[in-house]
Amino acid sequence: MASFEFVSPAKIIFGCGKVEEIGNEVRGYGRRVLLVTGRRAIKETGILKRVVESLSRAKVEVTHFDSVPPEPTIDVVNKGVTFCSQEGCDLTIGLGGGSVLDVAKAVAYLVKKPGIPFIAIPTTAGTGSEASFNSVITYPTEKKKKSIRDHQMMAKLVIIDPELILRCPKDVTIFSGLDALVHLIEGFVSRGANPLTDSLALSGIRLIHQAIRKVVREPCDIEDREKMSLAALMGGIVLANAGLGAVHGLAGSIGGKIDAPHGLICAVLLPWIVEYNLTTASSRFGQIAEALDSVSALDGIRTLLTDLEIPPYLGPLGVKEEDLPLIVCDASSSIKFNPRETDLESLVELLKRAI
């Protein structure tokens, strides 16, 4: 058996109603919190009020930074770093989706050396940002997304309360859930996979297969929300330890050039990359097929995407053939973990078919 390393958040609290424990938990990390959120939804759902009240009961001071857009830029991160420093905050809490968590962890890492504690409370199920040590940030002038990565960025505490995603919009539920599925599939066939990530990946794939169609039809089904939340957490741990592959290597590059949700881009790319990788990782895709209750991994994936009304091509999302060489050249380092070797020519040809 090959040697490997394994990292994960220092502490994970999972369960309905567990967000109420944030105040008591935070006191071990600091007394002045920079609470990072999005601009509107978190207030409208009442989640923000619950968190602030819990922190207040624990005598923790809260400074609210609510400037995070769906696709955060380096300017937003820099603004957060300045604000955090000026307010004298000694930890950050990210309360929101993946973009919010990415900003909160980047601010915690950059505000001073060696950084301050970062706590994650996800309100979507899919990005896995609560369990990874990287932050994906957009650089608009370069039309690129880049990752800041360091083990110091791993969360000290993660609170996953499935009740927080009950009011998650349908499109966010689908796109974030499919992002998690891609994390699990790519992580399972990755060159960096190990026995621990294998177990998590297959379990997570099964959970998403069981839950995602149902939770789209019945968004208030807490049992299925629990399954999606757990699968997303597993996906985050898998991507942090096993790496990903060509889907995420290309999706980040595409996302820097078009205005489309990351999870949607990944979902459209997935069957094309799976087809490309089949000859190299056939036995692993056989296990994925079993987890999807399908005769083949590709059939199971295509059926799921059709059921969720995901378009089969990239063209309708705004990807143009003349942009493909630049997209491939700007692919992220995730691509090095792809099970089958890639090069500029093979990936451009693959993307031409996917358009």
Side-chain angles (χ1 to χ4, degrees), residues 132-302:
S132 67
F133 53 84
N134 70 294
S135 175
V136 180
I137 303 298
T138 299
Y139 289 71
T141 57
E142 301 177 46
K143 293 187 177 181
K144 291 182 181 180
K145 288 186 177 182
K146 298 181 181 180
S147 285
I148 306 169
R149 296 178 182 172
D150 194 297
H151 283 190
Q152 291 288 337
M153 297 174 72
M154 184 64 79
K156 300 297 182 185
L157 169 68
V158 175
I159 296 180
I160 299 177
D161 186 337
E163 290 180 352
L164 302 187
I165 63 171
L166 284 173
R167 294 178 65 181
C168 198
K170 178 181 177 179
D171 59 342
V172 176
T173 295
I174 293 172
F175 299 153
S176 59
L178 290 174
D179 190 20
L181 180 65
V182 177
H183 293 158
L184 295 159
I185 290 174
E186 286 209 290
F188 186 66
V189 301
S190 165
R191 297 183 186 194
N194 65 60
L196 287 178
T197 59
D198 285 351
S199 178
L200 289 169
L202 287 176
S203 295
I205 292 168
R206 291 189 188 97
L207 287 171
I208 291 177
H209 171 64
Q210 294 166 9
I212 193 168
R213 293 177 178 89
K214 291 167 62 181
V215 84
V216 170
R217 294 194 305 268
E218 302 174 34
C220 291
D221 187 316
I222 193 62
E223 182 178 345
D224 289 319
R225 291 292 190 181
E226 288 175 332
K227 289 179 179 179
M228 294 301 297
S229 294
L230 185 56
L233 172 65
M234 291 173 168
I237 296 173
V238 167
L239 75 88
N241 289 277
L244 295 170
V247 174
H248 274 81
L250 294 169
S253 179
I254 293 171
K257 296 170 178 60
I258 65 170
D259 183 18
H262 171 75
L264 174 59
I265 296 171
C266 288
V268 176
L269 280 171
L270 180 60
W272 298 97
I273 301 298
V274 168
E275 187 175 38
Y276 178 84
N277 286 330
L278 276 174
T279 56
T280 304
S282 58
S283 63
R284 294 225 150 206
F285 282 114
Q287 294 178 71
I288 290 171
E290 291 180 14
L292 293 171
D293 290 328
S294 178
V295 293
S296 75
L298 196 53
D299 284 347
I301 290 165
R302 284 174 171 162

Side-chain angles (χ1 to χ4, degrees), residues 16-42:
C16 292
K18 291 297 183 179
V19 73
E20 304 294 345
E21 299 179 11
I22 183 61
N24 290 332
E25 290 289 337
V26 159
R27 287 187 297 185
Y29 301 99
R31 289 290 184 171
R32 189 166 182 82
V33 168
L34 183 73
L35 181 59
V36 181
T37 72
R39 292 167 175 164
R40 191 184 75 249
I42 203 73

Side-chain angles (χ1 to χ4, degrees), residues 75-130:
D75 289 339
V76 172
V77 172
N78 289 335
K79 181 180 177 182
V81 169
T82 300
F83 193 47
C84 185
S85 179
Q86 289 174 344
E87 294 295 321
C89 298
D90 46 19
L91 74 152
T92 70
I93 296 176
L95 175 65
S99 296
V100 167
L101 302 188
D102 278 2
V103 170
K105 75 171 74 169
V107 169
Y109 176 66
L110 295 171
V111 70
K112 66 178 184 180
K113 296 298 180 183
I116 59 177
F118 158 64
I119 293 173
I121 308 177
T123 60
T124 63
T127 70
S129 184
E130 65 272 16

